[in-house]
mmCIF file of all heavy atoms in Angstrom:
data_model
loop_
_atom_site.group_PDB
_atom_site.id
_atom_site.type_symbol
_atom_site.label_atom_id
_atom_site.label_comp_id
_atom_site.label_asym_id
_atom_site.label_seq_id
_atom_site.Cartn_x
_atom_site.Cartn_y
_atom_site.Cartn_z
ATOM 1 N N MET A 101 29.726 87.125 44.278
ATOM 2 C CA MET A 101 30.043 86.220 45.331
ATOM 3 C C MET A 101 30.322 86.945 46.652
ATOM 4 O O MET A 101 30.225 86.183 47.622
ATOM 5 C CB MET A 101 31.259 85.431 44.861
ATOM 6 C CG MET A 101 30.860 84.447 43.698
ATOM 7 S SD MET A 101 32.102 83.468 43.305
ATOM 8 C CE MET A 101 31.722 83.089 41.569
ATOM 9 N N ASP A 102 30.560 88.221 46.571
ATOM 10 C CA ASP A 102 30.767 88.907 47.968
ATOM 11 C C ASP A 102 30.664 90.258 47.704
ATOM 12 O O ASP A 102 31.343 91.265 47.922
ATOM 13 C CB ASP A 102 32.156 88.648 48.425
ATOM 14 C CG ASP A 102 32.309 88.848 49.797
ATOM 15 O OD1 ASP A 102 31.473 89.544 50.522
ATOM 16 O OD2 ASP A 102 33.338 88.262 50.484
ATOM 17 N N PRO A 103 29.278 90.721 47.300
ATOM 18 C CA PRO A 103 29.056 92.128 46.949
ATOM 19 C C PRO A 103 29.285 93.099 48.167
ATOM 20 O O PRO A 103 29.622 94.272 47.896
ATOM 21 C CB PRO A 103 27.526 92.196 46.666
ATOM 22 C CG PRO A 103 26.988 90.987 47.202
ATOM 23 C CD PRO A 103 28.106 89.982 47.348
ATOM 24 N N ARG A 104 29.093 92.569 49.424
ATOM 25 C CA ARG A 104 29.402 93.502 50.519
ATOM 26 C C ARG A 104 30.884 93.870 50.653
ATOM 27 O O ARG A 104 31.282 95.020 50.942
ATOM 28 C CB ARG A 104 28.999 92.710 51.803
ATOM 29 C CG ARG A 104 28.920 93.692 53.065
ATOM 30 C CD ARG A 104 28.367 93.190 54.259
ATOM 31 N NE ARG A 104 27.979 91.785 54.179
ATOM 32 C CZ ARG A 104 28.097 90.948 55.266
ATOM 33 N NH1 ARG A 104 28.525 91.429 56.458
ATOM 34 N NH2 ARG A 104 27.721 89.818 55.173
ATOM 35 N N LEU A 105 31.689 92.957 50.357
ATOM 36 C CA LEU A 105 33.146 93.248 50.324
ATOM 37 C C LEU A 105 33.593 94.041 49.286
ATOM 38 O O LEU A 105 34.330 95.225 49.488
ATOM 39 C CB LEU A 105 34.022 91.963 50.370
ATOM 40 C CG LEU A 105 35.461 92.136 50.425
ATOM 41 C CD1 LEU A 105 35.893 91.843 51.789
ATOM 42 C CD2 LEU A 105 36.204 91.190 49.513
ATOM 43 N N PHE A 106 33.060 93.821 48.069
ATOM 44 C CA PHE A 106 33.621 94.551 46.824
ATOM 45 C C PHE A 106 33.049 95.954 46.711
ATOM 46 O O PHE A 106 33.613 96.859 46.410
ATOM 47 C CB PHE A 106 33.269 93.759 45.662
ATOM 48 C CG PHE A 106 34.087 92.509 45.435
ATOM 49 C CD1 PHE A 106 33.364 91.248 45.263
ATOM 50 C CD2 PHE A 106 35.465 92.447 45.585
ATOM 51 C CE1 PHE A 106 34.041 90.125 45.212
ATOM 52 C CE2 PHE A 106 36.101 91.276 45.558
ATOM 53 C CZ PHE A 106 35.501 90.116 45.338
ATOM 54 N N GLY A 107 31.687 96.009 47.007
ATOM 55 C CA GLY A 107 30.918 97.317 46.904
ATOM 56 C C GLY A 107 30.526 97.739 45.545
ATOM 57 O O GLY A 107 29.533 98.264 45.205
ATOM 58 N N ASP A 108 31.492 97.383 44.535
ATOM 59 C CA ASP A 108 31.265 97.926 43.140
ATOM 60 C C ASP A 108 31.953 97.071 42.180
ATOM 61 O O ASP A 108 33.034 96.461 42.468
ATOM 62 C CB ASP A 108 31.628 99.388 42.966
ATOM 63 C CG ASP A 108 31.136 100.050 41.816
ATOM 64 O OD1 ASP A 108 30.001 100.453 41.877
ATOM 65 O OD2 ASP A 108 31.803 100.068 40.680
ATOM 66 N N GLN A 109 31.363 96.829 41.039
ATOM 67 C CA GLN A 109 31.916 96.100 39.963
ATOM 68 C C GLN A 109 33.340 96.555 39.561
ATOM 69 O O GLN A 109 34.199 95.783 39.264
ATOM 70 C CB GLN A 109 30.994 96.096 38.710
ATOM 71 C CG GLN A 109 31.539 95.270 37.554
ATOM 72 C CD GLN A 109 31.492 93.742 37.817
ATOM 73 O OE1 GLN A 109 30.476 93.286 38.224
ATOM 74 N NE2 GLN A 109 32.644 93.258 37.523
ATOM 75 N N VAL A 110 33.572 97.935 39.572
ATOM 76 C CA VAL A 110 34.919 98.537 39.199
ATOM 77 C C VAL A 110 36.023 97.801 40.009
ATOM 78 O O VAL A 110 37.066 97.578 39.554
ATOM 79 C CB VAL A 110 34.787 99.976 39.317
ATOM 80 C CG1 VAL A 110 36.067 100.588 38.940
ATOM 81 C CG2 VAL A 110 33.693 100.584 38.660
ATOM 82 N N ILE A 111 35.754 97.674 41.252
ATOM 83 C CA ILE A 111 36.758 97.142 42.320
ATOM 84 C C ILE A 111 37.095 95.801 41.755
ATOM 85 O O ILE A 111 38.358 95.343 41.774
ATOM 86 C CB ILE A 111 36.226 97.066 43.662
ATOM 87 C CG1 ILE A 111 35.624 98.373 44.055
ATOM 88 C CG2 ILE A 111 37.306 96.627 44.576
ATOM 89 C CD1 ILE A 111 36.534 99.386 44.700
ATOM 90 N N VAL A 112 36.130 94.932 41.337
ATOM 91 C CA VAL A 112 36.379 93.630 40.918
ATOM 92 C C VAL A 112 37.230 93.603 39.703
ATOM 93 O O VAL A 112 38.229 92.835 39.516
ATOM 94 C CB VAL A 112 35.162 92.820 40.774
ATOM 95 C CG1 VAL A 112 35.274 91.438 40.092
ATOM 96 C CG2 VAL A 112 34.266 92.708 41.950
ATOM 97 N N ASP A 113 36.846 94.590 38.608
ATOM 98 C CA ASP A 113 37.577 94.574 37.387
ATOM 99 C C ASP A 113 38.973 94.807 37.739
ATOM 100 O O ASP A 113 39.968 94.268 37.124
ATOM 101 C CB ASP A 113 36.913 95.690 36.556
ATOM 102 C CG ASP A 113 35.570 95.316 36.128
ATOM 103 O OD1 ASP A 113 35.042 94.193 36.380
ATOM 104 O OD2 ASP A 113 34.857 96.144 35.570
ATOM 105 N N GLN A 114 39.304 95.779 38.617
ATOM 106 C CA GLN A 114 40.706 96.295 38.884
ATOM 107 C C GLN A 114 41.455 95.092 39.515
ATOM 108 O O GLN A 114 42.583 94.818 39.105
ATOM 109 C CB GLN A 114 40.617 97.397 39.817
ATOM 110 C CG GLN A 114 41.935 97.769 40.534
ATOM 111 C CD GLN A 114 42.608 98.927 39.954
ATOM 112 O OE1 GLN A 114 42.140 99.934 40.126
ATOM 113 N NE2 GLN A 114 43.737 98.686 39.127
ATOM 114 N N ALA A 115 40.726 94.337 40.481
ATOM 115 C CA ALA A 115 41.362 93.180 41.058
ATOM 116 C C ALA A 115 41.759 92.172 40.036
ATOM 117 O O ALA A 115 42.928 91.609 40.189
ATOM 118 C CB ALA A 115 40.573 92.685 42.142
ATOM 119 N N ILE A 116 40.876 91.917 39.112
ATOM 120 C CA ILE A 116 41.121 90.839 38.116
ATOM 121 C C ILE A 116 42.355 91.361 37.232
ATOM 122 O O ILE A 116 43.353 90.523 36.959
ATOM 123 C CB ILE A 116 39.985 90.646 37.151
ATOM 124 C CG1 ILE A 116 38.870 90.047 37.957
ATOM 125 C CG2 ILE A 116 40.223 89.716 35.960
ATOM 126 C CD1 ILE A 116 37.479 89.895 37.370
ATOM 127 N N ASN A 117 42.551 92.545 36.773
ATOM 128 C CA ASN A 117 43.476 93.071 36.073
ATOM 129 C C ASN A 117 44.830 92.958 36.824
ATOM 130 O O ASN A 117 45.940 92.601 36.303
ATOM 131 C CB ASN A 117 43.289 94.582 35.640
ATOM 132 C CG ASN A 117 42.433 94.593 34.499
ATOM 133 O OD1 ASN A 117 41.995 93.568 33.857
ATOM 134 N ND2 ASN A 117 41.978 95.883 34.168
ATOM 135 N N ASP A 118 44.687 93.355 38.153
ATOM 136 C CA ASP A 118 46.007 93.263 39.058
ATOM 137 C C ASP A 118 46.376 91.835 39.062
ATOM 138 O O ASP A 118 47.611 91.473 39.023
ATOM 139 C CB ASP A 118 45.563 93.724 40.478
ATOM 140 C CG ASP A 118 45.476 95.248 40.531
ATOM 141 O OD1 ASP A 118 45.965 95.998 39.616
ATOM 142 O OD2 ASP A 118 44.773 95.721 41.358
ATOM 143 N N ILE A 119 45.637 90.880 39.235
ATOM 144 C CA ILE A 119 46.009 89.583 39.397
ATOM 145 C C ILE A 119 46.693 89.017 38.148
ATOM 146 O O ILE A 119 47.754 88.335 38.167
ATOM 147 C CB ILE A 119 44.874 88.599 39.720
ATOM 148 C CG1 ILE A 119 44.236 88.832 41.072
ATOM 149 C CG2 ILE A 119 45.079 87.141 39.601
ATOM 150 C CD1 ILE A 119 43.042 88.192 41.515
ATOM 151 N N CYS A 120 46.011 89.307 36.990
ATOM 152 C CA CYS A 120 46.643 88.942 35.736
ATOM 153 C C CYS A 120 48.034 89.493 35.582
ATOM 154 O O CYS A 120 49.019 88.900 34.976
ATOM 155 C CB CYS A 120 45.768 89.338 34.565
ATOM 156 S SG CYS A 120 44.229 88.419 34.527
ATOM 157 N N THR A 121 48.261 90.791 35.815
ATOM 158 C CA THR A 121 49.493 91.414 35.813
ATOM 159 C C THR A 121 50.481 90.866 36.647
ATOM 160 O O THR A 121 51.620 90.559 36.280
ATOM 161 C CB THR A 121 49.399 92.943 36.043
ATOM 162 O OG1 THR A 121 48.183 93.469 35.543
ATOM 163 C CG2 THR A 121 50.561 93.660 35.568
#
Side-chain angles (χ1 to χ4, degrees):
Chain A
M101 285 183 208
D102 206 337
R104 194 170 5 147
L105 183 99
F106 294 127
D108 196 81
Q109 181 67 49
V110 183
I111 312 271
V112 174
D113 295 350
Q114 165 102 73
I116 292 173
N117 281 351
D118 287 342
I119 290 175
C120 290
T121 316

